[in-house]
Amino acid sequence: MSDTPGDTISEIIRKSLTDQIIRGELKPDEKLRQDHIAKEFNTSHVPVREALLRLEARGLAISEPRRGVRVAPFSPEDIFEIRAMRLALEPLALRQAVPNATRADLKRIREAQEACDAAEDLLTWEQANRAFHREILAPSEMPRLLATIETLEVLSARHFLRTWRLRFVQRKDRDHAAIVTAMVRKEADTAVLVLQRHLQRMG
């Protein structure tokens, strides 16, 4: 999760911790110590607290009395709920995105597709895959929906990397290609059907 110009220190910390949790560098139930994080980023505790609150809001951290803030555990029930929500919400966003997609949007979508197909390792592929999903849904112009989906995709990525770490094979994603073709042709029903199949397979 790359930093963007104008990011506050709390947002930089949030993105860094998010990446570490997704990659499994920070384990479930591991304590997130404010003093250690503040020292690492050479800042006060205020932006660290803000970053941790944002992690909690996204389901990546939990706070408990006398135990402090910890990396959120991950259960089979969580995985089921995340998958079900993605299956409900991403097709909704894509159906709105297809008729709105401009040439510039389609160019970004193709670039994201190519980056995903070119990925040579799982971490690179996962980041490129999330970018592809973000780009195909962006033309929906539904910011609240997209923010919810982004959170779900981050949570899904955490499970995916843990499950598929030893099974990555570089390949061209046929579902991605079919979605792009349908978007170019303005065929919303086809794009949605492929996306639903894609999410069920990835779940």
Side-chain angles (χ1 to χ4, degrees):
M1 190 172 295
S2 58
D3 298 334
T4 55
D7 275 352
T8 63
I9 184 62
S10 64
E11 186 64 6
I12 291 170
I13 294 170
R14 181 194 69 79
K15 288 182 177 181
S16 176
L17 294 176
T18 296
D19 283 342
Q20 292 177 63
I21 292 170
I22 290 174
R23 294 193 298 261
E25 295 168 6
L26 290 171
K27 308 296 183 186
D29 290 319
E30 184 170 342
K31 192 165 186 178
L32 299 171
R33 301 181 182 277
Q34 290 190 33
D35 52 345
H36 291 180
I37 297 169
K39 184 176 181 180
E40 178 183 351
F41 288 90
N42 192 29
T43 188
S44 69
H45 283 203
V46 174
V48 175
R49 282 195 294 271
E50 292 175 356
L52 294 179
L53 286 172
R54 291 174 186 174
L55 288 180
E56 288 183 55
R58 288 167 171 79
L60 291 170
I62 57 174
S63 178
E64 294 181 349
R66 296 184 296 280
R67 295 196 65 186
V69 181
R70 296 176 293 117
V71 176
F74 214 60
S75 69
E77 291 77 15
D78 294 328
I79 297 165
F80 175 83
E81 181 180 15
I82 291 163
R83 180 169 176 265
M85 290 180 70
R86 287 188 67 184
L87 276 165
L89 299 182
E90 289 191 39
L92 172 62
L94 184 60
R95 189 173 295 281
Q96 297 299 317
V98 171
N100 292 343
T102 64
R103 287 186 179 180
D105 292 326
L106 293 171
K107 181 176 183 293
R108 287 191 295 271
I109 289 167
R110 287 195 187 95
E111 289 171 350
Q113 177 197 1
E114 291 168 0
C116 201
D117 288 344
E120 296 181 351
D121 61 83
L122 184 60
L123 285 173
T124 303
W125 181 88
E126 190 285 315
Q127 291 177 341
N129 182 63
R130 258 190 294 150
F132 174 79
H133 281 255
R134 184 167 59 248
E135 292 296 345
I136 65 172
L137 303 181
S140 68
E141 299 179 355
M142 302 176 76
R144 295 175 185 83
L145 178 60
L146 294 177
T148 300
I149 290 171
E150 182 181 3
T151 296
L152 293 170
E153 289 179 345
V154 166
L155 293 170
S156 182
R158 184 184 176 197
H159 165 67
F160 181 84
L161 288 177
R162 183 176 61 180
T163 304
W164 288 82
R165 191 170 297 278
L166 300 178
R167 290 187 279 171
F168 176 76
V169 177
Q170 184 182 12
R171 61 182 175 81
K172 291 187 176 181
D173 195 306
R174 294 178 182 177
D175 288 344
H176 286 185
I179 291 170
V180 173
T181 298
M183 293 190 75
V184 170
R185 295 175 178 173
K186 300 294 185 182
E187 297 174 351
D189 288 345
T190 300
V192 167
L193 284 172
V194 176
L195 178 61
Q196 289 170 329
R197 180 184 68 199
H198 181 68
L199 292 174
Q200 288 169 339
R201 183 181 296 130
M202 297 304 294

